[in-house]
Amino acid sequence: MSQVNNPVAIDNDGSAVLERNVEPSKQLAHTVAEAVELYDVDRTAAHIAEGGYSRVALQFPDELLADSTLVSAALQERTEARVFILADTSYGSCCVDEVAAEHYAADAVVHYGRTCLSLTTRLP
């Protein structure tokens, strides 16, 4: 069983999230071309096209959020999907935020970064 580092309990008052310090990754992309390579955008675009997804949510951990606009732009150039970024991590970056994605009527979520590998129940 995998272990989540520094989990934040769901039953807290939320202060841990507000007080958390996040350092940007040292491996951020600086250009769209770097983002395409680093995030395997072509493979992701092919998956979006093959699945027929039209509204795709991108979820990044806080430390990689700076790359989200580059990845979004690259995916929008390569697909006909409307791509949007979920930038409101509340309790942990490792879990897919299906609820937030559903608020935007997403039919798929692409999760970047470390994950706890919990199964999604509503979205691919």
Side-chain angles (χ1 to χ4, degrees):
M1 177 176 243
S2 64
Q3 181 178 13
V4 178
N5 294 331
N6 302 324
V8 178
I10 292 176
D11 63 348
N12 69 29
D13 66 359
S15 62
V17 172
L18 298 174
E19 296 168 4
R20 179 175 57 200
N21 289 323
V22 176
E23 292 293 323
S25 172
K26 293 178 179 159
Q27 296 182 349
L28 293 175
H30 298 288
T31 65
V32 172
E34 288 179 8
V36 167
E37 179 70 25
L38 185 61
Y39 293 95
D40 207 357
V41 169
D42 290 326
R43 188 172 121 199
T44 305
H47 182 74
I48 291 168
E50 289 167 9
Y53 305 122
S54 61
R55 295 180 58 83
V56 178
L58 304 181
Q59 182 180 346
F60 289 80
D62 293 338
E63 62 274 8
L64 297 177
L65 199 54
D67 283 348
S68 64
T69 57
L70 295 172
V71 174
S72 176
L75 285 171
Q76 289 183 105
E77 289 176 359
R78 289 163 171 75
T79 68
E80 295 181 12
R82 180 163 185 210
V83 179
F84 49 94
I85 301 161
L86 302 177
D88 59 350
T89 302
S90 296
Y91 292 103
S93 298
C94 66
C95 297
V96 175
D97 194 348
E98 290 182 275
V99 174
E102 285 186 327
H103 285 206
Y104 293 99
D107 49 13
V109 177
V110 178
H111 183 280
Y112 293 98
R114 295 181 58 179
T115 181
C116 56
L117 299 176
S118 36
L119 297 175
T120 58
T121 59
R122 300 176 182 135
L123 296 170

